[in-house]
Amino acid sequence: MLTECPTPVILLKEGTDTSQGVPQLISNINACQVIAEAVRTTLGPRGMDKLMVDGRGKATISNDGATILKLLDVVHPAAKTLVDIARSQDAEVGDGTTSVTLLAAEFLKQLKPYVEEGLHPQTIIRAFRSATHLAVKKIREISVTVKKDDKKEQRELLVKCAATAMNSKLIAGQKEFFSEMVVEAVMMLDELLPLKMIGIKKVQGGALEESHLVAGVAFKKTFSYAGFEMQPKRYDQPKIALLNVELELKAEKDNAEVRVKSVEACGGSIQTSVGSMTDDVLGRCEVFEEVQVGGERYNFFKGCPRSHTCTIILRGGAEQFMEETERSLHDAIMIVRRAIKNDSIVAGGGAIEMELSKYLRDYSRTIPGKQQLLIGAYAKALEIIPRQLCDNAGFDATNILNKLRAKHAQGGMWYGVDVNNEDIADNYLACVWEPSIVRINALTAASEAACLILSVDETIKNPRSSVEGPPGGGRGRGRGRPHAH
Ligand code: ADP
Ligand code: MG
């Protein structure tokens, strides 16, 4: 007689933790909400900053979504997706990192009821992709193009864009000063606007307003030699030898950086010996100077012929404060570069999100079934941006959002939150502008992240490997971290 004895198929080793299906999806969605909570209050000009202290006791104050998430050291595999999109938003457009995280989490939050209901994730994903497609098309349609031929007008626009980016930062009080400086710096670059040709050097001490821009390469004097005090501190039209020879042991890393930057800026090539010093290996610049900046001696190479380069010398008090200033300037520099490259802008302060939300809501009414509800959910999720801006400013969000919905229904397409007067305002006229690309990138990335998280219905965590030696491949699909003993 044959007995039915089902032999279990053993695929994974004992102790492997798998969780799957709807509960898994819901738990991933919840994890993402926690991530959003961490950055929620930093959004917008009235956003708060976070102070983070790492294992070694190093403190960082930041308002930047990507920076905060990076420092949080998230291990949850699904929640990590949000950290990744914040980082890629930072790398690609340099701004909108908090927005992208909030949007992704809000998308997930709005579609959670549908997942719980048992709606197939692929149905949801399809709806979200088409909504994103429509939204991006709409942004392209309504964004305002800036004329490039009028240099003065372009410059004014860039300064406004930079100032908007700084609104939410610690340096908002000095935004006029810094937005001019940032635009000046970017204008010094060549056509391709290479970011690395803008150096930022922090010199502790002095007032923030003593920060200045140097047209050329600047670095801390990294070497000295016997009798250097007697040498002139300024040379006109010097020739520059770039030596890969250690003149002094310390600061080799700094020296290396100096060489690379100088080669790109001044021309010439790096020599490993002083034997064959011909004219063609020497770099050139207009002025070389040694100057005192705060407590430091600085070397300036000004007027470099080969490449357009500049250095921002930042002054200020606390180290964390200067680091945050540097990050804020970086954001603003990225915005200005983007605005030069893509001369198309939309109004911020939730205006563009409200307009897209209205557009998608109207559109959803024209289609039947589940897709209607899902696109409606997408439209609702977009409202998180103006809502959070209100919350962070301490406004009555429901009231402001009602006003905004009404205004947008009447065709006031650039109306957004007015953070100064607890009201709504035409943010296009108020010059609260953002490059369209920042919003397009944020929307696309947030929706893709939401879809990615939805399409994962199983996480397999490997147990701690008991085998000695390096784990030999085949670690399965799980992203479980091997623990150190
Ligand atoms: P992110 O990391 O997403 O760039 P921010 O903290 O920089 O986050 O906040 C950006 C949001 O704040 C954008 O939606 C932007 O439109 C809005 N914002 C910036 N300045 C203003 C302002 N003056 N009034 C209203 N909203 C503003
Ligand atoms: Mg920003």
Side-chain angles (χ1 to χ4, degrees):
M1 202 175 89
L2 201 83
T3 40
E4 271 294 304
C5 177
T7 354
V9 181
I10 299 179
L11 186 68
L12 302 165
K13 75 182 143 198
E14 200 178 332
T16 303
D17 170 26
T18 77
S19 33
Q20 48 188 259
V22 174
Q24 165 71 30
L25 272 173
I26 298 295
S27 117
N28 283 345
I29 292 176
N30 292 342
C32 293
Q33 302 309 311
V34 180
I35 293 286
E37 282 317 309
V39 292
R40 196 173 284 285
T41 55
T42 68
L43 183 80
R46 294 282 183 272
M48 308 293 238
D49 300 323
K50 304 271 173 197
L51 193 153
M52 283 145 300
V53 185
D54 72 4
R56 269 181 259 122
K58 185 178 187 306
T60 311
I61 299 178
S62 183
N63 175 281
D64 179 58
T67 309
I68 296 170
L69 292 180
K70 197 169 80 204
L71 290 170
L72 282 183
D73 198 10
V74 176
V75 292
H76 190 285
K80 259 189 175 166
T81 312
L82 295 202
V83 181
D84 290 344
I85 54 168
R87 200 176 294 167
S88 79
Q89 174 88 13
D90 193 33
E92 273 178 41
V93 286
D95 193 31
T97 53
T98 310
S99 310
V100 75
T101 319
L102 284 184
L103 277 173
E106 191 66 19
F107 283 150
L108 289 167
K109 186 171 164 191
Q110 293 297 334
L111 53 79
K112 189 168 145 188
Y114 299 98
V115 176
E116 280 170 330
E117 237 172 55
L119 193 62
H120 196 285
Q122 290 304 339
T123 316
I124 306 178
I125 290 175
R126 204 167 341 117
F128 267 55
R129 292 223 166 109
S130 78
T132 307
H133 179 73
L134 285 167
V136 169
K137 216 170 82 190
K138 184 76 183 169
I139 299 184
R140 295 224 157 92
E141 226 172 272
I142 62 178
S143 60
V144 182
T145 311
V146 216
K147 291 180 280 318
K148 268 197 182 154
D149 21 317
D150 186 341
K151 282 287 169 221
K152 190 163 160 280
E153 196 178 326
Q154 188 197 15
R155 197 191 155 93
E156 270 166 27
L157 169 99
L158 295 176
V159 172
K160 271 173 197 161
C161 273
T164 313
M166 289 181 205
N167 271 339
S168 55
K169 309 290 182 195
L170 273 172
I171 51 167
Q174 283 82 20
K175 67 176 179 189
E176 273 96 21
F177 176 71
F178 280 112
S179 49
E180 288 286 345
M181 182 187 290
V182 161
V183 172
E184 187 99 5
V186 179
M187 291 293 207
M188 279 182 197
L189 301 181
D190 58 20
E191 227 97 285
L192 291 167
L193 307 176
L195 185 63
K196 66 173 195 301
M197 296 315 277
I198 302 182
I200 301 183
K201 296 279 173 203
K202 299 179 290 258
V203 186
Q204 213 164 354
L208 208 51
E209 289 82 0
E210 283 170 41
S211 306
H212 59 274
L213 183 70
V214 179
V217 187
F219 52 84
K220 202 153 96 188
K221 190 160 166 289
T222 54
F223 58 87
S224 50
Y225 45 90
F228 74 94
E229 297 94 338
M230 315 303 290
Q231 294 293 327
K233 298 287 178 264
R234 185 190 160 106
Y235 293 92
D236 287 316
Q237 304 286 352
K239 290 180 179 170
I240 305 159
L242 297 142
L243 293 175
N244 193 10
V245 183
E246 273 178 53
L247 293 171
E248 192 172 324
L249 282 173
K250 74 170 176 66
E252 243 330 276
K253 184 185 141 277
D254 289 348
N255 276 335
E257 184 204 325
V258 165
R259 273 195 299 265
V260 171
K261 277 205 92 163
S262 313
V263 167
E264 278 176 50
C266 308
S269 52
I270 297 177
Q271 300 296 302
T272 45
S273 80
V274 284
S276 57
M277 203 72 87
T278 51
D279 209 44
D280 58 323
V281 298
L282 295 176
R284 278 176 184 75
C285 71
E286 261 153 44
V287 185
F288 170 82
E289 253 184 317
E290 186 182 314
V291 236
Q292 189 79 21
V293 183
E296 317 269 12
R297 298 296 288 175
Y298 260 76
N299 289 336
F300 290 164
F301 291 105
K302 291 183 185 164
C304 305
R306 255 270 292 274
S307 158
H308 304 270
T309 175
C310 60
T311 310
I312 295 174
I313 307 276
L314 266 187
R315 305 300 311 275
E319 193 185 332
Q320 287 106 325
F321 183 78
M322 286 174 68
E323 278 174 15
E324 175 64 1
T325 307
E326 181 180 1
R327 280 191 290 271
S328 310
L329 289 187
H330 170 259
D331 272 15
I333 289 170
M334 290 293 274
I335 283 285
V336 172
R337 284 173 72 226
R338 287 284 149 184
I340 295 179
K341 284 187 177 174
N342 322 264
D343 42 5
S344 129
I345 51 155
V346 291
I352 182 69
E353 285 83 9
M354 284 311 285
E355 185 61 19
L356 293 175
S357 178
K358 174 199 147 236
Y359 167 68
L360 287 175
R361 207 167 35 243
D362 291 349
Y363 166 78
S364 75
R365 300 216 169 97
T366 65
I367 50 171
K370 279 280 184 278
Q371 295 285 318
Q372 175 179 41
L373 297 176
L374 289 168
I375 294 195
Y378 189 105
K380 181 137 185 266
L382 290 173
E383 290 182 351
I384 185 66
I385 301 293
R387 182 178 294 278
Q388 196 64 46
L389 287 172
C390 290
D391 282 349
N392 290 354
F395 300 165
D396 179 348
T398 315
N399 180 25
I400 301 265
L401 256 71
N402 278 336
K403 282 192 194 172
L404 280 177
R405 282 191 208 106
K407 202 73 196 181
H408 280 259
Q410 295 160 11
M413 76 174 183
W414 293 133
Y415 271 77
V417 183
D418 178 352
V419 288
N420 299 318
N421 304 309
E422 179 153 11
D423 201 355
I424 62 173
D426 187 320
N427 276 349
Y428 182 74
L429 296 181
C431 295
V432 181
W433 297 343
E434 304 226 12
S436 330
I437 188 80
V438 173
R439 295 293 119 184
I440 290 178
N441 207 68
L443 262 190
T444 328
S447 139
E448 271 316 303
C451 291
L452 179 71
I453 286 165
L454 268 194
S455 61
V456 174
D457 71 342
E458 187 170 12
T459 310
I460 304 164
K461 269 209 193 100
N462 277 358
R464 181 159 49 169
S465 176
S466 53
V467 195
E468 292 296 312
R475 295 221 309 103
R477 287 181 284 161
R479 281 212 248 158
R481 304 189 122 196
H483 296 272
H485 290 279

